[in-house]
Amino acid sequence: MIYVSEVEGTRSDLVPDLQKLYTDFQGRQLVVATKDNWPFIKLITLEDGTMTPLSGIDFNIIDILSEKLNFTYQLVLPPDGKWGGPQPDNTITGLVGMVARHEAHATLCELTITDIRETVVDFTVPYYQESMTLVSPAPKEKNRSFAIFSPFTAEVWISICLMTILMGPMLYLVSRVLVVYLEEQDTALYSLPSFSFNVYRNLMVQGNVIKSHRWSLRFIFLFWYLLCFYIYAIYSGTLTAALAVTTYEKPIDSLYDLAQAYQAGFTISTIKDTNYDTTFKRAKSGIYQEVWQLFNHEDRDQSFLPSTEVGFEMVMNHKYVLINAELNSRLKATRRGRQKFHIARDTFLPQGYGIACSSGSPFKDTFSRILVRLTEVGLVSKWADDEVDKVSQRVPPSSESGGPTAISLQHLQAAFFIMVLGFVTSTTVLVIQIIGSRWQQRSNTANKVDVVI
């Protein structure tokens, strides 16, 4: 309520208009809590020990605010190095705690607006919105040892083998019916070994050596030829592509892939004391709760990492999946070598970043009005693109090509392995036959001696 007094014809407001009052800070200094957190803010330490921002989205925002509202700012770091928020023991950690305890006027550092944090501080409108993603090692190239079997699944190979094995006996059965009931001439071509080997010849597209004027056999052969041609056409075309084009293991592209990754030995991780781990921890059901159970709660330091830098080091050198913000992930992956990482196609958990001010802060609305104008004209998005461009210009393009390659011995090693296996099998059978023949000869000789005696 505004109270007005009329003294000598003048009117004065007992309670000033805060929107007008905080349009000009008159050169006052604000204490702003932040962290070295590129691409949002990059800090450098001067010779006298003071910190100054060098670049980043948040740096541009605080610079614009200080210029428009006529204030200077001093940057301070949180003692515990955390983004922070209210804890179960009623303490408030990190950047949020400094503002809540009035150790800083505001904090600006990719700070996610959450309902828990809003119980102790006030947030401006969000100035940048993005989602979370998954960062994992780049999928490895698939093993080529048995690449010649890759065109078909195991079920298809089993079906082809069963059909080939059963076709011989079936044709032999039909031929016996023809011989017995239709008095067809019985020939060596109608024997079980002849039919079975002929079926195998058909499958290998080596022609047919059995001819019959009976339509019952002709129809069986006709449709068997069609099946063999169809299998051969699909196999040959798919095999060429499978051998010539590099293929990779299945990547981790969504939260639903994390369970399989965990079974494969991956450690699921995120940055500790952030909105990331809090979201999963608070989940009571659904996929977020399932992901929370995949974290290493026995040795929490394995899953809850101190910074994204540590996270990317772990992903590069170990079997790790890092849950992290999308923009930060893409920039850090590009700077370290984009080909070394895989960033999931699916994103989740949309979130907004805002400036946290002390509860009841009189200048929060003033900050919000300027932030709205900055986002509406696209300046914040432009600053984000500028950070991406800086990294892209410094990183040389990869010379790796995903196109077809020449087929090498490595691609065909399974075919040679099968040939060697054939020689080994043949040699084993030969040895068994020789041993059996020798044993039979000795047995016959012993019988003759017994008869003579």
Side-chain angles (χ1 to χ4, degrees):
M1 180 180 296
I2 299 178
Y3 297 91
V4 180
S5 63
E6 297 187 9
V7 179
E8 297 180 359
T10 64
R11 296 169 62 89
S12 62
D13 296 339
L14 296 180
V15 179
D17 186 349
L18 296 181
Q19 294 185 3
K20 293 181 180 180
L21 179 63
Y22 285 98
T23 56
D24 187 351
F25 281 66
Q26 299 179 0
R28 285 180 292 181
Q29 185 181 72
L30 297 186
V31 178
V32 179
T34 190
K35 291 178 59 176
D36 187 11
N37 182 42
W38 178 82
F40 282 85
I41 188 165
K42 178 64 178 175
L43 301 177
I44 58 173
T45 304
L46 302 179
E47 295 181 356
D48 59 0
T50 60
M51 291 178 303
T52 183
L54 182 63
S55 64
I57 300 170
D58 290 346
F59 162 67
N60 289 310
I61 289 175
I62 193 65
D63 219 34
I64 291 290
L65 289 175
S66 66
E67 180 182 347
K68 293 292 184 182
L69 300 178
N70 187 23
F71 67 82
T72 61
Y73 55 88
Q74 174 191 359
L75 300 180
V76 294
L77 299 177
D80 56 9
K82 302 176 181 178
W83 277 267
Q87 302 300 309
D89 59 359
N90 294 325
T91 60
I92 309 174
T93 59
L95 297 170
V96 177
M98 295 186 70
V99 176
R101 293 188 298 269
H102 299 279
E103 298 170 4
H105 296 100
T107 179
L108 182 65
C109 184
E110 193 188 2
L111 190 64
T112 305
I113 302 172
T114 66
D115 55 346
I116 296 180
R117 289 169 175 168
E118 284 187 314
T119 60
V120 293
V121 295
D122 287 344
F123 279 96
T124 62
V125 296
Y127 59 86
Y128 192 83
Q129 294 183 336
E130 66 172 339
S131 300
M132 304 296 294
T133 190
L134 306 174
V135 183
S136 56
K140 296 181 180 179
E141 184 178 349
K142 286 186 176 180
N143 193 319
R144 300 298 185 92
S145 300
F146 296 96
I148 62 171
F149 299 111
S150 60
F152 297 143
T153 62
E155 292 81 0
V156 175
W157 282 116
I158 293 173
S159 300
I160 292 174
C161 291
L162 288 177
M163 283 292 296
T164 306
I165 293 171
L166 295 176
M167 276 299 295
M170 186 180 69
L171 288 169
Y172 177 70
L173 178 62
V174 174
S175 71
R176 297 311 302 167
V177 172
L178 292 175
V179 170
V180 174
Y181 293 98
L182 298 181
E183 298 181 356
E184 184 75 22
Q185 183 181 0
D186 194 4
T187 66
L189 292 178
Y190 285 1
S191 66
L192 179 58
S194 297
F195 276 123
S196 297
F197 185 71
N198 189 69
V199 167
Y200 177 73
R201 282 175 57 90
N202 301 152
L203 187 63
M204 297 294 105
V205 196
Q206 296 299 311
N208 180 49
V209 295
I210 296 180
K211 297 180 180 179
S212 175
H213 64 280
R214 293 294 184 179
W215 283 102
S216 54
L217 283 176
R218 285 183 175 183
F219 275 116
I220 296 176
F221 279 126
L222 173 63
F223 290 103
W224 174 248
Y225 297 157
L226 289 175
L227 176 63
C228 291
F229 175 78
Y230 188 61
I231 292 174
Y232 176 79
I234 294 178
Y235 178 79
S236 59
T238 308
L239 179 63
T240 302
L243 294 180
V245 179
T246 304
T247 56
Y248 297 91
E249 297 175 349
K250 184 180 182 298
I252 301 171
D253 271 328
S254 70
L255 291 177
Y256 296 95
D257 295 334
L258 290 181
Q260 185 176 357
Y262 178 82
Q263 295 295 329
F266 280 85
T267 299
I268 313 303
S269 65
T270 189
I271 311 304
K272 65 180 179 181
D273 298 315
T274 62
N275 175 56
Y276 314 156
D277 66 331
T278 303
T279 299
F280 294 105
K281 182 179 181 179
R282 296 175 63 195
K284 302 300 182 182
S285 62
I287 185 62
Y288 287 176
Q289 183 191 41
E290 294 176 14
V291 172
W292 174 251
Q293 295 172 353
L294 298 178
F295 288 105
N296 188 342
H297 298 288
E298 296 180 359
D299 186 0
R300 292 180 57 84
D301 290 339
Q302 294 295 316
S303 282
F304 301 96
L305 308 176
S307 67
T308 54
E309 294 293 338
V310 175
F312 271 80
E313 284 294 331
M314 299 302 288
V315 172
M316 283 184 63
N317 301 314
H318 306 279
K319 297 182 69 174
Y320 261 71
V321 180
L322 176 66
I323 300 175
N324 192 38
E326 186 176 12
L327 176 63
N328 186 288
S329 298
R330 295 190 182 280
L331 289 175
K332 282 188 166 58
T334 302
R335 187 172 64 177
R336 291 172 175 267
R338 185 64 181 82
Q339 73 281 1
K340 301 176 183 177
F341 302 93
H342 176 76
I343 297 178
R345 294 181 179 181
D346 293 348
T347 58
F348 57 95
L349 191 62
Q351 56 190 12
Y353 305 139
I355 299 177
C357 306
S358 302
S359 296
S361 174
F363 51 79
K364 184 200 70 171
D365 292 338
T366 304
F367 279 8
S368 291
R369 287 197 301 273
I370 297 177
L371 290 176
V372 168
R373 291 200 295 269
L374 292 177
T375 54
E376 285 179 346
V377 299
L379 274 177
V380 178
S381 298
K382 177 185 179 301
W383 292 332
D385 293 339
D386 289 343
E387 296 301 319
V388 174
D389 292 339
K390 291 177 184 177
V391 175
S392 301
Q393 292 171 3
R394 289 196 296 263
V395 177
S398 174
S399 59
E400 296 183 2
S401 173
T405 59
I407 297 176
S408 64
L409 184 61
Q410 181 184 7
H411 301 136
L412 300 177
Q413 57 182 307
F416 290 100
F417 173 77
I418 292 174
M419 193 64 205
V420 172
L421 182 61
F423 285 131
V424 172
T425 304
S426 178
T427 303
T428 304
V429 172
L430 178 61
V431 171
I432 293 175
Q433 287 179 335
I434 293 174
I435 294 174
S437 177
R438 295 285 179 84
W439 181 84
Q440 185 67 33
Q441 291 176 3
R442 291 177 182 176
S443 178
N444 293 338
T445 303
N447 291 335
K448 289 180 180 179
V449 171
D450 290 338
V451 170
V452 171
I453 294 176

